[in-house]
Amino acid sequence: MSVTLANQQELNEALASFKNSQNGHWLVVTYKTPTQLQYKASGEGLESLAAELNDKEIAYYLIRLVYNSNDAGFKDAVIGEAANTKDIYVNWIGSGVGIIEKGKKKTHSGDAQALLSPHHSTLVQTSKDLNGNFTEAIIKDRSGPLSGSHIID
């Protein structure tokens, strides 16, 4: 692993809580140093998640969403038309992150994915505009395997 984790016990506790959570629950991992990640926060809802994402940072997060029969990505033939729960891994790249830093930390995404596994899909996010593309519907759409883009911009 090319990066280390500063607070493994806190992340393990947050992941255990996440696995028992409901729709909209998230957890964020950020950088403590250029080569060390740390569990930062967890919560519910896109508004509180957007508040945790810094435009000058790269971060990684998991978000749990519930898919109903009218959502793109809903798995057909589920007994009783029950909702599907999916955990989505997102690589946040703030708009103020320099090109050199983006390049250096690009290789860390795989390590972060390993820390935040398992998950159903992987996205890259560059905008946290709640009135734009940062909505639950867009996240669900972009996380589908047949989505033309896996980027939230």
Side-chain angles (χ1 to χ4, degrees), residues 47-88:
E47 287 184 17
S48 60
L49 174 57
E52 291 293 334
L53 300 174
N54 185 326
D55 285 331
K56 295 182 180 181
E57 289 182 343
I58 292 176
Y60 311 96
Y61 69 86
L62 277 180
I63 186 163
R64 173 164 283 187
L65 296 178
V66 174
Y67 288 66
N68 295 304
S69 58
N70 59 341
D71 290 323
F74 178 76
K75 187 175 181 181
D76 292 329
V78 175
I79 297 172
E81 292 295 315
N84 306 144
T85 300
K86 295 186 181 181
D87 298 335
I88 302 162

